[in-house]
Amino acid sequence: MTNTQKLIRAVTEADSPARIVAAVQELAAAKDEAAIETLIAVFGYNNPTAAVTAVAGLTQLGDIAVPQLLAQIDDYNYGARAYSIRTLAAIADPRALDILLTSAATDFAPSVRRAAAKGLGSLRFQKLDIPERQAAQAKALETLLFICQDADWSIRYAAIVGLQALAKIPELQQPIQETFAEILATDAENAIRARVQLAQKQMLGIGLVVSC
Amino acid sequence: MMEPSAETYSAENASPLTKEQAIANLKSPDLSLRYYAAWWLGKFRVRDLEVVDALIVALEDEADTTEMGGYPLRRNAARALGKLGDIRAVPHLIRCLECSDFYVREAAAQSLAMLGDIAAAPALMQLLSGGIAAAVQEPGRPHLTQPYEAVLEALGAIGATEAISLIEPFLEHPVARVQCAAVRAMYQLTQDSFYGERLIKELDTNNLQMRRVVLGDLGAIGYLPAADAIANAKVENSFKLIALKGLLEHQLQQELDVSSISEDAIRLMNLMDSLL
């Protein structure tokens, strides 16, 4: 039995919340591809500390974990699904585009939608060929602009965070600026308007650095 | 598993009604339609003179009663009136504080807190009379004799400083939620950080439901030094986001210069971003 197999067994056989956390920490620290399936399964254990550790471990493994993350999304447990989407958003591999688009627009759980909205802004689009890249960026923009009008303030907040990240792409800056101006003029929530102001301020900061 | 309350379904999922239909339904012979209409008008915050008048009438409803002597329609009407923000409802809600139905009194106190009218202070203080000695379990019912939690929160929210000496003994009430409501009100009425720190300590409790309540309290009082404790609390992110939004809004209100945002506000938003 390899060391990783032993660590996997320790996770599946742990019989208390604290032992699960300790076992997941060790498994994540092994940084072994063979641990991916088990780390994803931890999302369904209803143990937030263990889940956060698994997110960090999978994020460190990076692109190699993406196919299994996509294949193992739990359609019946929104808590587990939110951790999967958070991990995909953190890894930022553009193969996650479709699941992030669907989750941001149509998932019933706000926690899943917020994680997806944030992730849509920061995918590594440069990994795609140019025609594919432009189509992917346009879809991310379209979905984020759409959910900027959601009734739930926290979804709008996440959409603004996603749009701010997406505004690093020069061709998308103009529609994003226009939407921000509109939200600033019309949104009833002070917290939302403040987040737009912060985005505008930071975008301006980036612009200044570029022009220097 | 139940969806926690902060993870509410989006508003579009509810059954479609129009304002006119909802007002008409408040007088429908079908009592369940009345009940639903009152909820709907509050949920969708249909701010309209006619709606407020119709809901005020519904506060006197005698038709819709439960076996235990409760008034379901009055409860929903009282809840809705808090959300509509029309202070014409205040005297009517104050009268509801004397209703025989505990849940009507509770809904009225919660709505008076939202409407923020200091005129409600004497009637709310009346419900605290007898102090914690009277604040015991109602025999055979799943609640105390009065909706103490809602009353304490309302007195804090409307700024009833004259109630401080009445509220203070409730800091020692045996029910943790009542204690927290008293701490929250004391902070709002005195701005003494002692009370804010006491709420932060409560976040260490082993009871998840209670940690969620405390997050709500910290968000409601906008206690800025609690920001990191909120972000690190062992509670679902949805609840943390709502609490940090409360801190942020409180912070934005304190800031005179609306054209720029302060370092504190930015720090709060960075924490919120990390919880998405």
Side-chain angles (χ1 to χ4, degrees):
Chain A
M1 206 195 250
T2 66
N3 185 43
T4 303
Q5 283 171 324
K6 280 183 206 150
L7 295 173
I8 288 171
R9 184 186 266 192
V11 170
T12 55
E13 289 177 354
D15 55 2
S16 76
R19 287 205 186 98
I20 292 173
V21 171
V24 172
Q25 275 168 349
E26 284 198 56
L27 182 61
K31 295 183 192 163
D32 186 339
E33 208 183 320
I36 292 172
E37 191 182 337
T38 309
L39 289 173
I40 297 171
V42 170
F43 296 164
Y45 283 14
N46 194 22
N47 181 325
T49 315
V52 168
T53 308
V55 169
L58 288 161
T59 306
Q60 274 203 322
L61 284 165
D63 291 358
I64 207 169
V66 170
Q68 277 167 276
L69 278 163
L70 292 173
Q72 280 187 58
I73 288 194
D74 191 335
D75 291 328
Y76 300 98
N77 178 341
Y78 71 88
R81 199 158 66 244
Y83 289 118
S84 286
I85 297 295
R86 262 182 216 133
T87 313
L88 287 164
I91 295 173
D93 185 311
R95 283 176 290 176
L97 176 70
D98 284 338
I99 187 71
L100 293 184
L101 290 171
T102 316
S103 301
T106 64
D107 203 289
F108 81 88
S111 54
V112 175
R113 299 185 65 197
R114 288 191 296 261
K118 184 184 183 189
L120 276 177
S122 38
L123 290 176
R124 284 173 284 133
F125 292 103
Q126 67 277 15
K127 287 190 73 183
L128 302 170
D129 297 332
I130 288 178
E132 226 188 331
R133 184 190 306 172
Q134 286 172 340
Q137 291 169 343
K139 276 194 211 160
L141 177 68
E142 185 191 13
T143 297
L144 288 172
L145 292 179
F146 175 66
I147 64 170
C148 272
Q149 297 159 26
D150 201 273
D152 178 339
W153 73 269
S154 73
I155 302 293
R156 301 203 298 283
Y157 187 99
I160 293 162
V161 173
L163 284 172
Q164 181 184 341
L166 207 59
K168 291 194 181 107
I169 301 161
E171 304 85 78
L172 304 185
Q173 274 172 8
Q174 199 198 338
I176 293 173
Q177 297 274 22
E178 284 168 10
T179 300
F180 281 172
E182 197 188 317
I183 297 172
L184 204 52
T186 58
D187 204 292
E189 296 278 359
N190 286 339
I192 293 291
R193 293 200 306 276
R195 188 63 188 81
V196 164
Q197 282 183 298
L198 178 60
Q200 289 174 326
K201 183 179 153 159
Q202 291 175 337
M203 282 161 68
L204 205 62
I206 292 165
L208 284 174
V209 171
V210 171
S211 63
C212 281
Chain B
M1 186 180 157
M2 288 286 289
E3 188 84 338
S5 62
E7 295 265 287
T8 47
Y9 289 76
S10 61
E12 289 85 20
N13 292 348
S15 142
L17 261 185
T18 63
K19 181 184 89 182
E20 290 70 24
Q21 250 180 321
I23 294 174
N25 283 0
L26 282 176
K27 293 177 187 141
S28 166
D30 181 343
L31 297 179
S32 67
L33 285 184
R34 293 193 197 186
Y35 183 76
Y36 181 78
W39 172 84
W40 187 89
L41 288 164
K43 168 77 186 168
F44 292 96
R45 293 187 156 68
V46 186
R47 290 198 179 85
D48 182 286
L49 289 177
E50 216 186 327
V51 169
V52 172
D53 289 337
L55 287 168
I56 287 173
V57 171
L59 290 178
E60 311 276 333
D61 176 80
E62 290 288 353
D64 188 6
T65 55
T66 67
E67 286 164 32
M68 307 286 286
Y71 293 97
L73 177 60
R74 293 192 193 187
R75 297 172 190 168
N76 269 3
R79 290 178 191 127
L81 284 165
K83 293 176 181 153
L84 299 187
D86 187 331
I87 57 159
R88 284 187 305 142
V90 168
H92 305 278
L93 289 168
I94 288 175
R95 256 203 306 285
C96 286
L97 294 175
E98 293 171 12
C99 181
S100 58
D101 179 0
F102 171 92
Y103 296 105
V104 172
R105 300 198 297 278
E106 181 179 57
Q110 287 165 342
S111 287
L112 286 165
M114 288 190 239
L115 295 175
D117 191 332
I118 189 71
L124 287 164
M125 287 163 67
Q126 191 58 42
L127 295 190
L128 298 186
S129 64
I132 59 170
V136 293
Q137 196 78 14
E138 177 87 36
R141 303 303 299 273
H143 54 69
L144 302 176
T145 47
Q146 294 293 352
Y148 291 99
E149 208 182 322
V151 170
L152 293 164
E153 288 180 9
L155 286 166
I158 66 176
T161 46
E162 65 266 43
I164 287 176
S165 60
L166 276 177
I167 294 170
E168 211 170 2
F170 284 87
L171 294 168
E172 308 303 330
H173 193 275
V175 176
R177 283 172 176 230
V178 174
Q179 263 185 37
C180 282
V183 176
R184 166 175 161 167
M186 287 300 287
Y187 178 80
Q188 286 174 313
L189 299 175
T190 65
Q191 296 295 309
D192 185 337
S193 63
F194 170 81
Y195 299 107
E197 295 302 317
R198 182 163 159 184
L199 281 176
I200 291 178
K201 281 197 201 86
E202 289 290 334
L203 277 179
D204 292 334
T205 162
N206 279 324
N207 180 336
L208 172 63
Q209 199 58 43
M210 197 60 212
R211 294 199 295 274
R212 290 177 182 156
V213 170
V214 176
L215 279 191
D217 290 335
L218 287 166
I221 66 173
Y223 186 59
L224 186 62
D228 291 314
I230 291 170
N232 294 322
K234 289 183 175 156
V235 181
E236 299 86 336
N237 286 1
S238 296
F239 292 90
K240 299 186 197 182
L241 281 171
I242 292 171
L244 288 171
K245 178 176 177 247
L247 265 56
L248 176 59
E249 283 171 347
H250 194 257
Q251 184 60 29
L252 294 169
Q253 263 174 16
Q254 315 284 306
E255 291 172 14
L256 298 170
D257 182 5
V258 290
S259 63
S260 77
I261 32 182
S262 69
E263 287 304 314
D264 282 331
I266 292 173
R267 193 165 63 85
L268 289 168
M269 286 188 269
N270 286 338
L271 285 173
M272 290 170 74
D273 289 7
S274 73
L275 295 167
L276 297 175

